[in-house]
Amino acid sequence: MKIILSLLLIVFSIVGIVDSSYITYEKFSESVSDCGVGSECGTVLNSEWSNIGPIPLSLLGFAFYSSLFILSILNYIEFDLKSQLEKVCNKLSFKKTSIFRQITIQELILVATIFGALFSGYLVFLMVIVINAWCKYCLISAFTSLTLFAISSTYYLKYQKNSPFLIKQVTLSIIHFLYVTIIKKLFFLFDAELIHNLLTSTGKTLGSNKISQFLTTTFFSFNHSNLEKRIDGITFKNPVGLSAGFDYNGELTGILPSVGFGFHTIGTVTYEAYEGNTKPRLGRYLKSKSLLVNKGFKSLGAKVIAKKLTGLNFSIPTGISIGSTNKHYNSSEDQIKDILKTFTIFEKSKVKHQYYELNISCPNTFGGQPFTTLDKLKLLLNSLEKLNISKPIYVKMPIDQSNKETLLMLQIINKYNIAGVIFGNLTKDKSNPDVDPADLKAWKLAKGNLSGKPTWKRSNKLVKLTRKNFKKRFTIIGSGGIFTGENAVKKINDGADLVQLITGMIFEGPQVIGQINLRLSLCRLSTKTPKW
Ligand SMILES: Cc1cc2nc3c(=O)[nH]c(=O)nc-3n(C[C@H](O)[C@H](O)[C@H](O)COP(=O)(O)O)c2cc1C
C-alpha cells in the first residue's frame, strides 16, 4: 500500500507536469488549437486572471508539479531529509531546537498539496463564477491537485506516526491566538463554574463519537514516539496529564486523549456524594494568573462514579484521586474508614484505571488537611497498606508546608508501598508574593485557595527537594503553574517524571497541551533534555 501511494504521487505529479506544460505552451504559442482565441479554454487563458504579474499561472503550475515530482521521488527512495537539514542547520549554527530540522519529506508534500488543492479551488471558482467559461485543461489540473492532496493525506495519516512539527506548530499557534484574543475574553465574561460546566458537557459530547475525536486529535494533539515513557509499569504516551479537579466525575475520558493529554486523573472522588461548598466555588484572578477554588470535593460519590466508568476502555492511563467525604468526623479513624471504603470500591470494581492519587492536601474541605500531620499520616498509610492495593498510589502533597515539614512527611511515606508524590495542591498562603496586591485584597474577602502561578515556584522547589533527598525512590509528578512548554521543561529538569496542569489550560487554551508536548519533543530531539 505504501509503495502504491508513493507511486501514485509520482504518477499524478507527472500528469500535472504534462497538463501545465501544455497549457503554458498554448498560452505562449500563437497556434490555433483547443485553447485558441475564441474557444472556452482561450477565454480563460487570455483572461486578466490568468497571470500573476508577468508570470502565467500555468507556468507556476508547472513549477508546482515539478517540485512535487521531485519530492515524490525523494519520498519514494526514502531520502532522509531530517539528517540533511540537521547538517545544514549545524553549518548555519541554527538554534539547537530549530523546528526546520524536524521537517520530513511527507510533511512538505502534505503542505504543498494542501496549498495546491486550495489554490485550485480558487481557480475553479474564478472560472465558473467570474470568467464564466470552462477550460478543460484547467479542470484536469484542478482534479490532479485534488487527487494529489487525497493521496498525500492518506499516506500521511497511515504512515506518519509522529505529528508534523511545522504544521502542528502553525496550527497550534493559530488556535492559541484565537483562544486568547477571542474565546477566553468571551468565556471570562461569565461565571467560572458555569463555563466549566459548559466545557465539561461540550467535551463529553465531543468525546462520544469518532468523528469529533478525530477532528480534535487533528487540530489539538501532538504525538511523537520520543514523548513516551514507562513508569511504575504504566506506559504514558506523553508526560503531560490533567490534574485532579477538572474532571471530578469522570466525564471526559473520551475527549482528553484527543486533546493530547498523556494521562488523566478523575476526581477527587469521595465515598459519599457531595454538592460542593456553597457558591461561589470558582473564581479567576487574572493578574495573578490563578483560579480561586472552593469546591470542597464536589462529587457524585464513589459508587456512582465507579459504575459510570465500568466497561470504558481508557486510551491513556487514567487515575482515580481519592479523598475523604467533605463532612465532620468524630475521629481520624472514622475519616480513614471513609477513604478506605472508596479505595475498596475501586479495587473491587472492573474499572480499568491504572493508578490512584491519595489526596491528603485539599485545603478547602471541612477540617482542613488533617493527614498532613505526621501521626495521622502514619495512621492513614498503615490502614491503607492493609488493603494491599493493586495499583500504584501517588500522594497529592500540600505545598504550603516548610521544607522540613515536607521532608518529615516524605520520610514517613517512604516506609510504605507508595509509588510517588505529586507537588502539589492549591496554596492557601496569603503572604505569597506571586499574588497580585489587588487580587490579594479580593482573596482576603473570599473563601478558597489558589492554583496557577502562585503555586509555580513552591511546587518547583518541592520537586527539586524531593528528587535531591530521595533520588529515584519516588515517581515525582510536578503540578502547579504550568502554562507553557518552557514551564514543563523546567519542572522536568527540576526532577519531575511527569507533569499535570489545569489552570494553564484555562488561561492559554486547550491547545497548550499540544504546544507543551511539541516543545518537549523538540527538546528531546535536539539536546536530549529534559531527561525522562
Ligand atoms: C478548579 C480546580 C479544582 C481542583 N480540585 C482538586 C481536587 O479535587 N483534588 C486535587 O487533588 N486537586 C485539585 N485541584 C488542584 C489541582 O489538581 C492542581 O494541583 C493545582 O491547581 C495546581 O495546578 P495548576 O496550577 O496547573 O492548576 C483543583 C484545582 C482547580 C483549579
Side-chain angles (χ1 to χ4, degrees), residues 35-191:
C35 276
V37 179
S39 72
E40 287 255 307
C41 201
T43 310
V44 175
L45 291 186
N46 292 314
S47 76
E48 58 176 304
W49 308 99
S50 63
N51 286 344
I52 293 185
I55 308 167
L57 279 179
S58 53
L59 197 59
L60 292 176
F62 176 76
F64 168 74
Y65 289 116
S66 305
S67 317
L68 215 54
F69 175 71
I70 294 167
L71 287 172
S72 305
I73 296 283
L74 292 176
N75 177 49
Y76 183 73
I77 60 170
E78 298 190 353
F79 177 79
D80 188 357
L81 182 67
K82 265 201 240 176
S83 54
Q84 296 307 317
L85 282 172
E86 178 95 23
K87 280 181 199 156
V88 176
C89 284
N90 285 343
K91 265 193 193 148
L92 299 174
S93 33
F94 265 26
K95 237 177 99 195
K96 280 208 155 173
T97 52
S98 167
I99 201 159
F100 294 106
R101 65 178 65 197
Q102 307 309 333
I103 296 170
T104 59
I105 296 273
Q106 293 85 9
E107 197 175 332
L108 283 180
I109 293 177
L110 185 62
V111 173
T113 56
I114 289 173
F115 172 79
L118 289 175
F119 198 68
S120 289
Y122 168 68
L123 293 181
V124 171
F125 165 80
L126 284 179
M127 211 162 45
V128 178
I129 307 292
V130 182
I131 306 171
N132 208 1
W134 292 94
C135 161
K136 60 186 171 197
Y137 299 105
C138 307
L139 281 176
I140 291 175
S141 177
F143 171 76
T144 307
S145 58
L146 212 67
T147 310
L148 280 164
F149 165 65
I151 300 168
S152 70
S153 48
T154 310
Y155 186 99
Y156 199 85
L157 290 172
K158 229 170 152 54
Y159 299 110
Q160 183 97 353
K161 202 173 145 223
N162 300 329
S163 295
F165 281 87
L166 192 61
I167 298 174
K168 271 287 151 149
Q169 185 148 40
V170 173
T171 313
L172 294 171
S173 302
I174 293 172
I175 301 175
H176 183 219
F177 175 77
L178 292 175
Y179 183 83
V180 292
T181 52
I182 303 170
I183 302 168
K184 184 170 90 172
K185 288 194 173 136
L186 205 67
F187 280 171
F188 280 22
L189 290 176
F190 298 92
D191 172 68

Side-chain angles (χ1 to χ4, degrees), residues 5 9 15 65 185 225 242 275 322 334 362 370:
L5 287 172
L9 278 174
V15 173
Y65 289 116
K185 288 194 173 136
S225 49
L242 179 72
E275 264 302 297
I322 293 176
D334 281 354
C362 179

Side-chain angles (χ1 to χ4, degrees), residues 243-245 268 282 293 359 396 424-426 451-452 479-481 501-503:
S243 289
T268 293
L282 206 52
V293 185
N359 186 0
K396 181 88 173 248
N425 218 315
L426 305 164
S451 71
S479 152
L501 61 98
I502 292 180
T503 312

